[in-house]
Amino acid sequence: MSTPTEPWNIARIAEAIPAPATRMRFLSEVNLAPIDELRAVAAKWQKVAEELTVGYERAIEVRDYVEKHGELPPEFVRVSPAELRETAGLDSKGAA
């Protein structure tokens, strides 16, 4: 991954997108965008890349914590699938 001090550009955004299909969608949108919309398209995908980068860095932190302590960090709460559905207001089949 690129270092955080490097400016965002098309290549860096593409590099930050791990899924090949999503990366191709990004490149397609950038290549097909009208010039007057190019800045907005790039900004949208820059935000996606920034969020993916932060998520990746957090995943590494969690992995390192688990390797060191043998369990998830304390901020992770373990809940059952039923508790998740109930909190989301869904029935047992996942419907609202």
Side-chain angles (χ1 to χ4, degrees):
M1 294 224 130
S2 302
T3 61
T5 58
E6 293 179 37
W8 285 102
N9 58 40
I10 300 302
R12 183 166 175 227
I13 293 170
E15 179 184 306
I17 302 171
T22 305
R23 188 178 318 111
M24 289 306 298
R25 180 174 163 204
F26 157 68
L27 292 169
S28 175
E29 285 186 24
V30 167
N31 284 313
L32 298 175
I35 290 295
D36 60 332
E37 295 175 21
L38 188 55
R39 186 176 303 272
V41 171
K44 174 185 87 170
W45 283 97
Q46 178 183 338
K47 183 177 180 193
V48 169
E50 289 169 340
E51 291 172 357
L52 287 168
T53 300
V54 168
Y56 175 80
E57 290 166 358
R58 180 63 180 139
I60 297 300
E61 291 170 4
V62 171
R63 182 203 64 198
D64 292 347
Y65 184 95
V66 170
E67 286 178 356
K68 182 176 181 180
H69 301 283
E71 60 186 20
L72 288 171
E75 65 266 23
F76 285 83
V77 178
R78 294 175 193 234
V79 295
S80 70
E83 290 172 307
L84 288 173
R85 285 192 298 273
E86 183 180 323
T87 301
L90 304 175
D91 64 20
S92 63
K93 294 180 182 175

